[in-house]
């Protein structure tokens, strides 16, 4: 389902209303929270190839609540996941605080690198609850991407998690495709970044 599809818009609005009522927050804050889950956290999970069973990233408590609420919208959530379902494991709540804080650190690191911005502290606090300030130690995650070119050929490309969308598009342009003609897809989901 495309983000421009009317059904997507209707389902997203229902999710936002549910967040507002269930978390008792204003509608504009619920809309921002939905954006953080749908357009930031889920793409981070895909980017880190964090599907199941080894969890590599963790959300903040408010993002976790909103993600849990999103799971109640089963069809919408399945469509957001695309061809690779992103599982939710409530047992992670019982992991050691150091383990959760480490995954949270990886999430914030990926957020900063992937979106080239500092996460909104209303949703992503610098301190993991009960742990203290997060230190941003350099984390290098290397993975292989496959770029489908306009000519039909597929080009493998090794990238680090620290590569931004802009840097990635420049590398692709240097191979074959001008930046303005590129559309980045992450496991069947169009990245909402230019």
């Amino acid at each position: 389902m495309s983000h421009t599809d009317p059904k997507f818009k209707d389902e997203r609005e229902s999710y936002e209303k549910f967040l507002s009522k269930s978390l008792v927050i204003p509608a504009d804050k619920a809309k921002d929270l939905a954006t953080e889950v749908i357009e930031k956290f889920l793409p981070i999970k895909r980017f880190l190839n964090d599907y199941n069973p080894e969890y590599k990233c963790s959300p903040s408590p408010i993002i976790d609540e909103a993600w849990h609420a999103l799971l109640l919208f089963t069809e919408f959530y399945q469509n957001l996941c695309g061809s690779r379902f992103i599982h939710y494991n409530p047992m992670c709540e019982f992991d050691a605080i150091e383990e959760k804080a480490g995954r949270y650190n990886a999430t914030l690191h990926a957020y900063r690198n992937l979106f080239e911005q500092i996460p909104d502290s209303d949703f992503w606090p610098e301190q993991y609850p009960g742990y203290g300030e997060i230190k941003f130690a350099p984390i290098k995650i290397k993975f292989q991407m496959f770029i489908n070119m306009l000519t039909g050929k597929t080009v493998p490309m090794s990238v680090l998690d620290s590569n931004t969308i802009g840097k990635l598009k420049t590398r692709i342009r240097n191979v074959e495709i001008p930046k303005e003609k590129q559309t980045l897809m992450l496991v069947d989901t169009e990245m909402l970044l230019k």
Side-chain angles (χ1 to χ4, degrees), residues 65-142:
E65 283 188 59
W67 182 24
H68 191 258
L70 181 59
L71 292 166
L72 300 174
F73 293 81
T74 57
E75 184 180 3
F76 183 47
Y77 184 72
Q78 184 176 14
N79 286 328
L80 287 171
C81 289
S83 64
R84 294 275 316 265
F85 193 80
I86 300 171
H87 294 275
Y88 181 93
N89 183 354
M91 293 306 291
C92 289
E93 177 64 30
F94 304 106
D95 289 345
I97 190 77
E98 297 82 11
E99 191 175 337
K100 290 191 285 189
R103 290 192 308 255
Y104 186 66
N105 180 17
T107 305
L108 292 180
H109 181 79
Y111 190 114
R112 288 170 184 242
N113 287 327
L114 186 60
F115 302 110
E116 299 180 308
Q117 67 187 66
I118 296 171
D120 184 334
S121 61
D122 285 348
F123 304 114
W124 301 97
E126 288 290 322
Q127 294 188 337
Y128 188 79
Y131 189 73
E133 188 173 346
I134 300 294
K135 304 291 185 202
F136 289 97
I139 300 171
K140 298 282 187 205
I141 301 172
K142 186 175 182 179

Side-chain angles (χ1 to χ4, degrees), residues 21-81:
K21 290 179 186 227
S22 65
L23 299 178
V24 192
I25 57 176
D28 60 330
K29 183 129 177 152
K31 184 174 183 159
D32 292 343
L33 181 55
T35 296
E36 289 297 315
V37 173
I38 294 169
E39 297 177 23
K40 305 292 185 179
F41 182 64
L42 293 181
I44 289 169
K45 296 280 281 179
R46 285 187 205 95
F47 179 73
L48 294 176
N49 198 28
D50 190 15
Y51 295 96
N52 185 34
E54 284 184 27
Y55 293 95
K56 299 172 187 154
C57 63
S58 288
S60 66
I62 187 72
I63 297 294
D64 191 52
E65 283 188 59
W67 182 24
H68 191 258
L70 181 59
L71 292 166
L72 300 174
F73 293 81
T74 57
E75 184 180 3
F76 183 47
Y77 184 72
Q78 184 176 14
N79 286 328
L80 287 171
C81 289

Side-chain angles (χ1 to χ4, degrees), residues 90-187:
M91 293 306 291
C92 289
E93 177 64 30
F94 304 106
D95 289 345
I97 190 77
E98 297 82 11
E99 191 175 337
K100 290 191 285 189
R103 290 192 308 255
Y104 186 66
N105 180 17
T107 305
L108 292 180
H109 181 79
Y111 190 114
R112 288 170 184 242
N113 287 327
L114 186 60
F115 302 110
E116 299 180 308
Q117 67 187 66
I118 296 171
D120 184 334
S121 61
D122 285 348
F123 304 114
W124 301 97
E126 288 290 322
Q127 294 188 337
Y128 188 79
Y131 189 73
E133 188 173 346
I134 300 294
K135 304 291 185 202
F136 289 97
I139 300 171
K140 298 282 187 205
I141 301 172
K142 186 175 182 179
F143 57 96
Q144 187 86 11
M145 293 186 73
F146 296 91
I147 312 300
N148 293 324
M149 299 297 183
L150 296 174
T151 59
K153 72 179 179 181
T154 300
V155 176
M157 187 175 290
S158 293
V159 296
L160 294 172
D161 70 325
S162 59
N163 290 134
T164 63
I165 297 296
K167 288 179 188 174
L168 182 59
K169 284 188 161 200
T170 298
R171 286 184 64 196
I172 295 169
R173 182 192 68 215
N174 291 340
V175 174
E176 183 172 330
I177 304 172
K179 261 184 168 178
E180 62 278 358
K181 292 194 176 188
Q182 296 176 23
T183 301
L184 295 181
M185 303 287 289
L186 194 57
V187 190

Side-chain angles (χ1 to χ4, degrees), residues 3-15:
H3 291 244
T4 57
D5 186 320
K7 186 174 181 184
F8 174 88
K9 184 178 181 224
D10 291 344
E11 290 184 6
R12 180 166 174 153
E13 286 175 0
S14 293
Y15 171 56

